[in-house]
Amino acid sequence: MKKILNYIDGSYCEPYTQDWLDNYNPSKGAVYSKIASSSSIDVDKAYQAAKKAFPSWSNTTIDARSAILLKIANLIEDNLDMLAEAESLDNGKPLSLAKTVDIPRASSNFRFFAHAITQFASEAHESVGLETMNFTLRQAIGVVGCISPWNLPLYLFTWKIAPAIAAGNTVVAKPSEVTPMTAFLLGKICTQAGLPNGVLNIINGTGPSVGQAIVEHPNIKAISFTGGTKTGASIARTAAPMFKKLSLELGGKNPNIIFADCNYEKMLSITVKSSFANQGQICLCGSRIFVEKSIYSKFKNDFVSRVKELKVGDPFASSTQIGALVSKPHLDKVMSYIDLAKEEGGEVLYGGNKVIVNGSENGYYLEPTIIEVTNNNCRVNQEEIFGPVVTMMSFDTEEDVLEMANNVKYGLSATLWTSNLDRTMRMSKQIESGIVWVNTWLNRDLRTPFGGVKNSGVGREGGFEALKFFTESKNICIKYDN
Ligand code: NDP
């Protein structure tokens, strides 16, 4: 059976303890490879390699670093089919999605930061009349830790690694143990692109073992983490007393707010996507739909009939729009929320059942599910489900919906459908979230800041925000005589 090894100092290697975990193909519900179950010993070995590589990498010219990042981007593109197939097999997402979103985006992450680093400038402040000149030096931090989740495996892994190495750091990274395959394949691509040994080290294993060892390592001075809010809190508890720099991109329970004056057809088709893309396993999915009362019953009928048309099936079939959920425990968790919704008085308008796919009877398939609720305070409207499940309810006024949109512990993103510019501005300013999409969804320009407020995280990624996170700024103050 294929083994997913660690990638340390430019070479693949087995874990020190020789322990292995099972890696599942979610579309079949069957083990198809073994993953290194690493420990703090492997993390420290990776740290030593990264430490050794740092002086040379951080002094490599920006042009040379940029050229290597561009080569990685090109090699990801050249291997698009192979990587997309690996991602789909490992995660259960439709192959068409991996081909058009996940892998192209992984390549553009490297391409974007290859260019961004050449434009990353610093500031100078002349203290006029005092014969003093200040400038800000932005220096690479050293060895940094990057920990990513399973929903967009290579996409989010590269979203951290590309800016970290572009800025001159060396990295100890951990993909989710649930979806380690494409990160494993990235190691070979980095070697082919000429990334010096030790600049990127990838350690596989569980969160409590490998993730915790990275966060606890006394000399890994910055942690960039994307994952659940509970894990983020635990990481913060460990890292804060060690005074580590922390970027936390956490969960969401995002409102999708629909006013009667929107472009209805456009809203309807994008709302189907924002509800169920990637089986609803995107932190930015609009999982709470609020619809203005005057169009509520029309929307309800139209939305249910569009969602009924979605084809759930084998991720490798070209007709499939919804693939398998990532794992059995996750499927069970999502289904438990459907039961909870019923207990709380919600009405399942469509879905709620497992789907048996011919030839893949043990796969983790679930119907796209729409639940009508009447109270924003119920648990299914307050807690992140992170699956193909949306709730919907009507609202009367702008004030009411704003109150409900904000009355949740999360604050990652929000979507607003309206043609009224005044309302757009009023609402966008008052919605408590890191991103507000107006008449669109998942529309990303990589230069923009990305992140959440409240329990959705701390710090921002994207563009120069990421390069600022992965550097320390130092004020150099020079006094001169005239
Ligand atoms: P988890 O928090 O369970 O895991 C995220 C990563 O952290 C995984 O690599 C995991 O390892 C690791 N990990 C787990 N425990 C620890 C620990 N104690 N110390 C260090 N690392 C640890 O999240 P999921 O993988 O389940 O991802 C889903 C969550 O991610 C959702 O809440 C979603 O909203 C959020 N997310 C947020 C995004 C954002 O940008 N804000 C984007 C995408 C997802 P392992 O899997 O091996 O246990």
Side-chain angles (χ1 to χ4, degrees):
M1 198 172 268
K2 193 173 173 66
K3 280 180 169 174
I4 295 179
L5 304 168
N6 293 331
Y7 177 75
I8 302 179
D9 210 9
S11 302
Y12 285 110
C13 53
E14 303 205 332
Y16 179 78
T17 55
Q18 284 295 325
D19 289 335
W20 301 89
L21 301 162
D22 288 335
N23 189 24
Y24 284 81
N25 165 0
S27 71
K28 301 275 182 205
V31 176
Y32 82 105
S33 61
K34 291 281 177 190
I35 316 161
S37 179
S38 311
S39 64
S40 58
I41 297 174
D42 304 287
V43 169
D44 194 57
K45 194 173 156 198
Y47 166 75
Q48 297 302 338
K51 182 184 168 200
K52 191 174 70 179
F54 179 70
S56 161
W57 180 246
S58 56
N59 279 302
T60 298
T61 63
I62 285 176
D63 279 356
R65 269 190 245 151
S66 171
I68 292 174
L69 264 76
L70 283 175
K71 272 193 207 154
I72 299 174
N74 290 340
L75 283 167
I76 292 176
E77 244 166 46
D78 295 348
N79 288 287
L80 186 137
D81 287 342
M82 179 274 286
L83 289 168
E85 280 164 26
E87 199 71 295
S88 176
L89 190 69
D90 213 24
N91 172 281
K93 66 177 68 212
L95 179 61
S96 56
L97 191 70
K99 271 191 181 170
T100 52
V101 178
D102 291 73
I103 308 305
R105 174 58 192 274
S107 169
S108 38
N109 287 341
F110 277 104
R111 194 175 307 287
F112 174 82
F113 284 106
H115 294 305
I117 194 62
T118 67
Q119 305 299 316
F120 187 48
S122 110
E123 305 88 38
H125 302 277
E126 183 182 5
S127 307
V128 178
L130 299 173
E131 286 80 41
T132 307
M133 189 69 192
N134 289 277
F135 68 92
T136 306
L137 188 66
R138 292 194 200 284
Q139 293 175 296
I141 297 170
V143 180
V144 300
C146 298
I147 302 174
S148 57
W150 50 256
N151 62 327
L152 302 165
L154 193 63
Y155 175 145
L156 290 177
F157 195 63
T158 54
W159 183 232
K160 299 182 176 306
I161 287 163
I165 64 177
N169 300 285
T170 55
V171 175
V172 178
K174 179 191 130 41
S176 170
E177 105 213 22
V178 186
T179 54
M181 186 56 93
T182 46
F184 167 68
L185 298 169
L186 181 69
K188 190 169 160 203
I189 286 177
C190 289
T191 303
Q192 269 176 352
L195 188 71
N197 293 347
V199 173
L200 171 63
N201 304 277
I202 303 169
I203 306 296
N204 291 290
T206 66
S209 169
V210 174
Q212 185 69 21
I214 292 174
V215 177
E216 275 176 359
H217 198 289
N219 298 317
I220 298 180
K221 292 293 183 197
I223 304 289
S224 174
F225 169 81
T226 298
T229 294
K230 214 169 139 200
T231 317
S234 138
I235 288 176
R237 273 195 297 277
T238 306
M242 300 174 85
F243 307 107
K244 297 195 181 201
K245 226 176 162 182
L246 265 188
S247 167
L248 301 174
E249 301 292 340
L250 310 176
K253 190 74 183 174
N254 312 305
N256 178 8
I257 304 168
I258 299 166
F259 285 94
D261 64 5
C262 68
N263 176 333
Y264 187 83
E265 271 311 308
K266 190 170 149 203
M267 173 279 296
L268 190 60
S269 59
I270 296 188
T271 292
V272 173
K273 284 193 192 140
S274 67
S275 304
F276 300 114
N278 203 39
Q279 297 71 246
Q281 301 167 146
I282 302 181
C283 52
L284 304 163
C285 278
S287 51
R288 292 184 295 152
I289 304 177
F290 297 103
V291 187
E292 194 168 5
K293 203 165 243 166
S294 59
I295 59 162
Y296 185 73
S297 61
K298 175 175 167 48
F299 174 82
K300 185 166 142 180
N301 287 336
D302 293 344
F303 185 57
V304 169
S305 55
R306 287 281 184 103
V307 172
K308 274 184 185 164
E309 287 166 14
L310 291 174
K311 175 95 180 66
V312 181
D314 181 343
F316 280 79
S318 58
S319 57
T320 292
Q321 290 160 296
I322 298 195
L325 271 70
V326 76
S327 67
K328 173 79 170 56
H330 190 57
L331 173 68
D332 292 343
K333 178 193 145 186
V334 173
M335 293 203 67
S336 75
Y337 271 103
I338 298 172
D339 292 339
L340 174 69
K342 292 176 194 160
E343 282 165 31
E344 288 185 316
E347 187 185 345
V348 177
L349 299 177
Y350 181 70
N353 305 302
K354 280 189 197 167
V355 177
I356 304 297
V357 172
N358 272 347
S360 301
E361 286 75 10
N362 295 325
Y364 314 133
Y365 299 96
L366 180 63
E367 288 171 334
T369 302
I370 308 168
I371 300 167
E372 185 175 50
V373 296
T374 50
N375 179 356
N376 183 49
N377 295 325
C378 62
R379 280 182 58 198
V380 282
N381 250 36
Q382 292 289 320
E383 297 175 20
E384 186 184 43
I385 301 174
F386 212 58
V389 178
V390 283
T391 65
M392 55 184 277
M393 63 185 286
S394 66
F395 66 86
D396 287 314
T397 66
E398 193 177 308
E399 292 70 31
D400 289 346
V401 75
L402 186 64
E403 205 273 322
M404 290 192 289
N406 287 341
N407 185 13
V408 69
K409 67 182 179 181
Y410 296 105
L412 188 54
S413 71
T415 308
L416 196 56
W417 291 97
T418 178
S419 57
N420 180 326
L421 182 61
D422 296 330
R423 173 187 284 148
T424 298
M425 284 311 300
R426 278 196 303 272
M427 296 277 296
S428 301
K429 284 174 75 172
Q430 293 180 83
I431 288 174
E432 294 166 358
S433 68
I435 302 164
V436 179
W437 278 299
V438 182
N439 300 327
T440 184
W441 177 72
L442 208 63
N443 195 329
R444 292 279 302 130
D445 180 324
L446 300 191
R447 291 169 300 180
T448 58
F450 179 88
V453 299
K454 305 200 289 195
N455 289 19
S456 290
V458 178
R460 292 292 178 272
E461 296 187 323
F464 292 151
E465 297 287 336
L467 294 176
K468 281 184 186 161
F469 175 77
F470 283 116
T471 50
E472 283 289 5
S473 52
K474 182 187 282 175
N475 169 220
I476 300 194
C477 175
I478 304 170
K479 175 83 177 125
Y480 58 92
D481 290 331
N482 256 337

